[in-house]
Amino acid sequence: MKIEVEINAVFEQLLLQEDTDQDKKITKDDKGPKRFVLNDSRTKEQFVIEGTYHLSNLLQELADLRAQDAMYGEIDLDRIQELPVDRISRKIRTSYWDELTRSIDSKGLQQILADEKTSNAVPTLYVSAKDTQGVAYFLALEKEWGNFKVAILPENYTQDYIETLNTKPGLLALATSQDEKEIKGVPFVVPGGRFNEMYGWDSYFIGLGLLEDGKLDLAKAIATNFKYQIEHYGKILNANRSYYLTRTQPPLYSSLLRAIIDYEKPDISWLASHLETVILEYHSVWMVMGERLTPTGLSRYKADGIGMPFEVEPGHFDEVLEPFAEKYGLPLREFEKKYLERSIVDDDLDQYFVHDRSMRESGHDTTNRLINSCANLNSVDINSFLYKYEIDIAYCITTYFDNVFVFQNKTYTAEEWLGKAKTRKALIDKYCWNEAEGMYFDYDFVHQKPLQFEAATTFSPLWAGMCSQEQALKLVEKALPKFVMTGGIAGSTVESVANLSSEAPQRQWDYPFGWAPHQMLLWEGLKKYGFETKKEEMIYRWLWLITINAVDYNGTIPEKFDLKISSHKVFAEYGNVGTEFDYIAKEGFGWVNASYQLGLAELAPKWRELLNQLVPPDKLFSQ
């Protein structure tokens, strides 16, 4: 049923009565009467809206109407009363993905150039010299618009060259395509909020959500941009900013391809072109000895670059820098300036930042597991992802290329890649598996010992299908209970951070914080090994957390959660993206959106009904 209202008048009345903390939202923290009377301006009939959830829905619908700049508009009461799960899923499917989609072209470039991280007076777009179509297109746009600068990256740029870009940071161009009418940027989906560019591992999880919502072309576009980055920048980038040329992200390209070809039978030429790039990335990024390949035969995260990473906020490293400032007898800010300029070089501090940059390459920025150690570790997650590469490549060669795939004058067979996977599994079992604990630990190949830090990455082998059935059972029965909280699994166990100083910073990838990628990897692993009951429990826990926070906080879908309090109110480094908006959440957060859609697709109808009733997980399951 629809009723007509005077938009601005009702909007202001609603806020005045119900938004008592004046944060431009209606949440459970507001102290209003939680009861608002709507008058139909045509029939004069009255309708009562009650409760935080329904009042916040009304606010959101009014915010949408205000954007139409009309005096009167229609409110659909069915939308106000919409069940929470239905509303969240519908908005993700029909609105949030569109809001998060970007393109680097005449239609989309201005939105990205206006980003808060664009610090230059004149924003710069860097374009690879090898991309002749892109160079010509963007130079023409530069001439037409005059409000941004195009800079051409040399074909064989060096690390020294990349360092010169720190004083003139900019955006990196992505793929373009041309039809009979025009050149367009190949679209991609950003995480949201201040993350207004294409991120490496976020894009894989986002791609899964897009496929679940039937957006195959957009998922394939993400793969196209992965391919472009490898061909033009040498790797899938942490994100397409100039200061990310020094590092990649967790290797999930092959897994995106598998998801795409499992969704729809592929065009063989399309698959062949991507399989070539997967193999190229595998060899040139992950399997170079002394870089990301180590003497154990396992891989590590190992970012390039020297010194502090560019993207952190001022003051982020003060605690790290202070002892070195004292060492050189300088005030902190003066030492920091000299260190950045490299007029002071300190090997110990440089080594700290090798680990820090590598930790950011892992996507887990930051965690006590990787602080000052990351580049020394054969981490469980990266080797699980690479095992999956080897299995995926073998699968593609067998299924689509008659067991023979030729690339760069070399013939590859499925048996070769299965052999690589078998070897990697044996090495992981040797160095990382702890039979007594029923858990995988990262291996410090420098000090030749496991790192006894209990992290959610221990479930990566389960996701990759690398465990034996016995190992899988131990992971589920012995390890998993250590991580399970009301709303899902935490990034680490409480025991792993128990001995930290009370003054130590709370690392956002450790206990008690919960992240969508950890949940999704776990779900797939449980499904793969037949733990259906546990899979449904873990999905329900996470979806309940998302749903209850959206219901209580005006539709908020954040980047991460504090699982100790089952809330988006996270007090840790970097805050919580996705929580700052006025009146209506327009985009959610990329991989949390994806986790919601993916989880719903795996749940039986009875669980959806319980979610709509907001039944707490601890009433349904024992921890």
Side-chain angles (χ1 to χ4, degrees):
M1 180 180 180
K2 295 181 179 180
I3 63 173
E4 185 180 81
V5 298
E6 187 178 348
I7 300 166
N8 284 327
V10 175
F11 184 82
E12 297 299 334
Q13 291 166 10
L14 179 64
L15 284 176
L16 183 64
Q17 176 181 300
E18 297 293 342
D19 181 22
T20 59
D21 60 8
Q22 298 183 331
D23 67 348
K24 300 181 180 179
K25 303 176 185 67
I26 296 175
T27 75
K28 74 172 188 178
D29 296 336
D30 287 306
K31 306 304 181 184
K34 305 293 187 183
R35 184 180 187 277
F36 188 81
V37 179
L38 272 180
N39 294 294
D40 190 323
S41 60
R42 291 174 299 204
T43 67
K44 309 307 179 185
E45 189 176 359
Q46 291 188 331
F47 300 87
V48 176
I49 310 298
E50 293 184 284
T52 296
Y53 171 64
H54 297 120
L55 290 167
S56 68
N57 287 351
L58 175 59
L59 179 63
Q60 294 169 53
E61 297 300 316
L62 287 167
D64 270 341
L65 288 175
R66 285 179 85 227
Q68 299 172 17
D69 200 26
M71 181 175 291
Y72 291 92
E74 288 188 325
I75 292 288
D76 187 341
L77 292 181
D78 289 340
R79 287 287 171 87
I80 306 302
Q81 301 295 331
E82 191 172 15
L83 292 172
V85 174
D86 298 350
R87 183 175 180 86
I88 295 167
S89 183
R90 174 182 61 80
K91 289 176 77 70
I92 292 169
R93 183 176 62 256
T94 64
S95 176
Y96 291 177
W97 293 133
D98 291 340
E99 290 287 344
L100 291 171
T101 299
R102 304 283 187 273
S103 61
I104 301 180
D105 55 18
S106 61
K107 294 180 180 178
L109 183 55
Q110 294 289 6
Q111 182 180 8
I112 301 177
L113 290 176
D115 184 88
E116 63 187 69
K117 295 188 289 297
T118 303
S119 56
N120 297 349
V122 178
T124 302
L125 176 68
Y126 289 94
V127 189
S128 167
K130 293 182 284 188
D131 182 6
T132 54
Q133 176 175 279
V135 168
Y137 174 70
F138 291 116
L139 284 174
L141 273 187
E142 176 193 33
K143 185 176 181 180
E144 178 184 347
W145 291 357
N147 66 343
F148 80 104
K149 177 185 177 182
V150 172
I152 312 301
L153 285 175
E155 286 199 24
N156 298 304
Y157 53 79
T158 63
Q159 290 301 319
D160 289 340
Y161 172 82
I162 294 173
E163 284 186 37
T164 68
L165 304 183
N166 284 344
T167 57
K168 43 189 176 182
L171 189 71
L172 296 171
L174 295 176
T176 55
S177 63
Q178 184 169 18
D179 58 24
E180 60 276 5
K181 294 182 179 179
E182 60 182 334
I183 292 176
K184 297 179 181 179
V186 173
F188 54 96
V189 180
V190 302
R194 70 174 181 267
F195 301 123
N196 192 34
E197 55 273 288
M198 181 178 176
Y199 279 78
W201 77 319
D202 293 68
S203 293
Y204 164 66
F205 296 102
I206 287 168
L208 297 182
L210 293 172
L211 289 171
E212 190 58 49
D213 282 337
K215 298 180 183 294
L216 173 63
D217 288 346
L218 196 47
K220 291 176 74 173
I222 289 174
T224 297
N225 278 311
F226 277 174
K227 179 177 173 64
Y228 179 92
Q229 290 179 40
I230 292 166
E231 291 176 344
H232 292 88
Y233 306 124
K235 58 180 75 71
I236 293 173
L237 301 169
N238 187 155
N240 60 310
R241 297 272 172 188
S242 57
Y243 43 82
Y244 291 133
L245 284 166
T246 59
R247 62 181 183 259
T248 184
Q249 284 248 280
L252 290 159
Y253 183 15
S254 78
S255 294
L256 178 60
L257 291 186
R258 275 298 304 269
I260 290 170
I261 63 179
D262 288 348
Y263 182 91
E264 180 179 274
K265 185 176 180 180
D267 173 83
I268 296 302
S269 62
W270 179 88
L271 178 58
S273 71
H274 282 280
L275 189 57
E276 290 175 354
T277 324
V278 166
I279 292 172
L280 175 64
E281 183 206 15
Y282 176 88
H283 287 303
S284 64
V285 176
W286 299 108
M287 299 301 289
V288 177
M289 180 58 73
E291 296 297 324
R292 292 179 180 86
L293 179 61
T294 73
T296 60
L298 295 173
S299 299
R300 63 172 172 172
Y301 294 108
K302 173 63 170 66
D304 296 318
I306 298 174
M308 287 186 286
F310 188 89
E311 75 273 17
V312 299
E313 300 90 339
H316 180 83
F317 288 112
D318 283 0
E319 186 179 0
V320 175
L321 297 177
E322 281 171 356
F324 291 92
E326 292 177 8
K327 173 181 175 181
Y328 290 94
L330 293 171
L332 179 60
R333 295 280 84 87
E334 184 178 348
F335 170 78
E336 181 181 40
K337 182 174 182 293
K338 289 181 178 292
Y339 180 69
L340 286 169
E341 294 170 345
R342 306 300 289 167
S343 59
I344 289 181
V345 175
D346 188 287
D347 290 342
D348 290 338
L349 189 53
D350 284 351
Q351 188 59 39
Y352 176 90
F353 284 117
V354 168
H355 293 304
D356 184 87
R357 286 169 173 267
S358 301
M359 173 175 61
R360 295 172 194 281
E361 179 170 277
S362 79
H364 290 79
D365 49 337
T366 65
T367 165
N368 288 287
R369 174 172 66 98
L370 302 179
I371 293 286
N372 210 17
S373 65
C374 186
N376 292 349
L377 300 178
N378 296 136
S379 60
V380 173
D381 51 327
I382 188 175
N383 286 287
S384 300
F385 297 151
L386 290 173
Y387 173 89
K388 182 78 159 35
Y389 263 48
E390 292 153 354
I391 294 295
D392 289 342
I393 292 169
Y395 171 83
C396 290
I397 291 175
T398 297
T399 307
Y400 296 102
F401 300 100
D402 296 326
N403 203 35
V404 174
F405 188 76
V406 180
F407 173 54
Q408 293 184 338
N409 297 318
K410 177 172 172 53
T411 299
Y412 295 98
T413 65
E415 287 75 18
E416 175 185 350
W417 289 98
L418 291 174
K420 292 177 186 294
K422 183 178 180 181
T423 298
R424 190 178 299 274
K425 172 178 167 44
L427 291 172
I428 283 281
D429 285 345
K430 175 181 177 181
Y431 291 111
C432 302
W433 174 248
N434 186 307
E435 181 72 17
E437 296 292 335
M439 193 178 299
Y440 292 92
F441 293 100
D442 300 333
Y443 181 75
D444 185 332
F445 66 89
V446 173
H447 299 98
Q448 299 184 358
K449 62 180 182 179
L451 180 73
Q452 299 291 133
F453 189 100
E454 297 174 342
T457 48
T458 193
F459 302 112
S460 302
L462 198 70
W463 166 83
M466 190 169 66
C467 310
S468 67
Q469 196 66 39
E470 292 74 19
Q471 288 171 320
L473 185 62
K474 283 182 176 290
L475 276 170
V476 172
E477 291 185 346
K478 297 193 70 172
L480 184 55
K482 296 183 178 184
F483 294 85
V484 175
M485 302 179 73
T486 297
I489 58 166
S492 76
T493 63
V494 65
E495 289 81 9
S496 285
V497 295
N499 295 325
L500 295 175
S501 164
S502 60
E503 298 179 0
Q506 277 204 299
R507 305 292 181 184
Q508 63 177 352
W509 284 90
D510 291 345
Y511 175 90
F513 305 114
W515 291 80
H518 288 163
Q519 320 302 318
M520 286 188 275
L521 293 173
L522 173 64
W523 302 344
E524 179 62 24
L526 293 171
K527 180 180 178 180
K528 196 166 283 185
Y529 284 88
F531 297 104
E532 285 294 320
T533 301
K534 182 58 69 173
K535 180 200 74 173
E536 289 194 322
E537 174 192 337
M538 299 315 302
I539 292 174
Y540 185 91
R541 288 183 179 279
W542 181 251
L543 297 197
W544 171 84
L545 181 63
I546 297 171
T547 305
I548 194 69
N549 273 268
V551 165
D552 287 343
Y553 288 95
N554 210 121
T556 295
I557 296 182
E559 174 192 27
K560 57 184 176 285
F561 291 94
D562 183 335
L563 299 188
K564 191 173 183 180
I565 55 174
S566 295
S567 174
H568 70 278
K569 294 184 177 182
V570 169
F571 299 99
E573 55 190 352
Y574 307 124
N576 202 1
V577 179
T579 60
E580 297 180 7
F581 57 86
D582 294 340
Y583 314 122
I584 180 171
K586 290 185 174 293
E587 56 187 29
F589 193 84
W591 57 25
V592 181
N593 297 345
S595 71
Y596 204 80
Q597 304 301 71
L598 232 65
L600 278 182
E602 290 288 333
L603 286 183
K606 67 172 184 177
W607 298 113
R608 190 179 184 120
E609 292 173 13
L610 292 167
L611 281 173
N612 273 319
Q613 296 169 31
L614 306 178
V615 177
D618 293 340
K619 286 191 174 182
L620 303 172
F621 316 104
S622 59
Q623 285 195 35

